[in-house]
């Protein structure tokens, strides 16, 4: 059974703080690593899909890095805003049409 | 653009009742998936359909059946609902090779079995 771990489980920051969270995954049979943003009462939305070791992706104030050799990815949010409050999911893709999801990091940004 | 549409949004069933959750996508995606979300657990794959005409079991298939009716539609059936199937169910779709695009999720169905 593949295990995808995310830390921390939850995070509470003030508006303007920068923050980061970690996703750990198996370093073998790697195909892709996905990041999703999941707002309360909505459905998960894809942020990034990363496939190559050393990949860095950026969307506005959010960026992600990938290390497939050691099996981790970081998600960074620069200058957090209240609208960034959400659960951030990572998911490991082995190439067999299946994503294995972590349990997510719940971020709360206070004004 | 609708994306992935799931019905119903909410449902309460009595133990032993049956029901079908419907999912349709309008993005011409080849692959479709059913996940369940339980507190403290990640999204867990119930069944998936890599392409029209094929279905395969995921991590937690027991108690469920699926039908890939056509390229657009993928339904999930509970033949005899049990309280352990109380959960939020998400349908998702993707291109055959989702590495560049990610999954598109429906808005979820909150199911309670009493």
């Amino acid at each position: 059974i593949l295990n995808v771990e995310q830390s921390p489980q939850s995070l509470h920051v003030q508006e303007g703080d920068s923050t980061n969270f970690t996703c750990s995954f198996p370093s073998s049979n790697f195909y892709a690593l996905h990041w999703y943003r999941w707002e309360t009462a909505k459905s998960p939305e894809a942020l990034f899909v990363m496939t190559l070791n050393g990949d860095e992706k950026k969307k506005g104030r959010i960026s992600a890095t990938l290390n497939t050799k050691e099996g981790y990815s970081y998600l960074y949010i620069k200058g957090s805003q209240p609208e960034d409050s959400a659960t951030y999911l990572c998911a490991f893709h082995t190439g067999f049409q299946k994503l294995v999801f972590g349990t997510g990091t719940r971020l709360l940004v206070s004004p | 653009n609708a994306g992935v549409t799931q019905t119903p949004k909410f449902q309460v069933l009595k133990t032993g009742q049956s029901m079908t959750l419907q999912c349709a996508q309008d993005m011409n995606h080849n692959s479709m998936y059913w996940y369940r979300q339980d507190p403290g657990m990640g999204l867990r794959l119930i069944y998936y359909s890599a392409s029209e005409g094929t279905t395969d079991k995921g991590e937690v298939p027991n108690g469920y059946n699926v039908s890939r009716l056509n390229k657009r539609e993928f339904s999930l059936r509970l033949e005899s609902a049990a309280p352990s199937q109380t959960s939020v169910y998400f349908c998702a779709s993707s291109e055959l090779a989702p590495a560049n695009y990610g999954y598109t999720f429906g808005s979820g169905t909150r199911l309670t079995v009493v």
Side-chain angles (χ1 to χ4, degrees):
Chain A
I1 295 177
L2 297 174
N3 200 28
V4 177
E5 296 186 356
Q6 292 188 246
S7 61
Q9 270 192 319
S10 62
L11 200 51
H12 185 186
V13 302
Q14 297 298 310
E15 182 175 357
D17 288 349
S18 293
T19 187
N20 66 83
F21 357 110
T22 305
C23 172
S24 301
F25 52 86
S27 54
S28 58
N29 296 320
F30 179 86
Y31 188 76
L33 192 284
H34 295 212
W35 281 101
Y36 291 83
R37 170 191 161 89
W38 191 359
E39 292 181 72
T40 302
K42 294 187 178 180
S43 52
E45 290 185 356
L47 280 173
F48 305 116
V49 178
M50 308 173 79
T51 56
L52 298 175
N53 185 43
D55 248 357
E56 290 189 27
K57 300 269 187 177
K58 188 174 181 181
K59 185 182 287 190
R61 293 179 291 96
I62 304 177
S63 60
T65 61
L66 178 68
N67 184 323
T68 60
K69 294 184 192 297
E70 296 182 39
Y72 65 83
S73 175
Y74 295 138
L75 188 80
Y76 301 91
I77 302 179
K78 185 178 178 182
S80 302
Q81 300 296 309
E83 57 265 31
D84 295 327
S85 297
T87 296
Y88 292 84
L89 297 175
C90 72
F92 175 69
H93 195 282
T94 64
F96 290 104
Q97 295 298 326
K98 290 186 268 191
L99 281 185
V100 178
F101 284 84
T103 54
T105 293
R106 184 175 295 182
L107 174 67
L108 178 62
V109 183
S110 295
Chain B
N1 49 345
V4 177
T5 303
Q6 284 183 240
T7 55
K9 291 194 184 306
F10 302 95
Q11 184 72 48
V12 179
L13 289 179
K14 292 183 179 178
T15 297
Q17 286 185 317
S18 62
M19 80 161 294
T20 299
L21 281 64
Q22 307 286 353
C23 176
Q25 52 92 7
D26 62 2
M27 296 168 289
N28 203 35
H29 283 170
N30 287 293
S31 303
M32 298 185 74
Y33 314 85
W34 277 104
Y35 284 87
R36 60 179 287 174
Q37 169 71 47
D38 300 295
M41 307 189 81
L43 289 161
R44 291 183 295 167
L45 183 65
I46 305 170
Y47 269 93
Y48 68 101
S49 171
S51 59
E52 187 179 355
T54 70
T55 60
D56 285 286
K57 294 178 181 178
E59 185 185 349
V60 288
N62 291 343
Y64 305 95
N65 285 302
V66 290
S67 295
R68 183 74 184 265
L69 303 168
N70 48 54
K71 192 171 185 179
R72 289 187 65 247
E73 298 171 287
F74 187 39
S75 62
L76 178 72
R77 183 160 178 84
L78 287 71
E79 291 291 352
S80 178
S84 60
Q85 294 179 303
T86 293
S87 188
V88 181
Y89 291 85
F90 287 94
C91 177
S93 69
S94 71
E95 294 293 329
L96 195 59
N100 293 329
Y101 302 107
Y103 286 16
T104 301
F105 284 86
S107 57
T109 296
R110 186 173 293 274
L111 175 67
T112 302
V113 183
V114 297

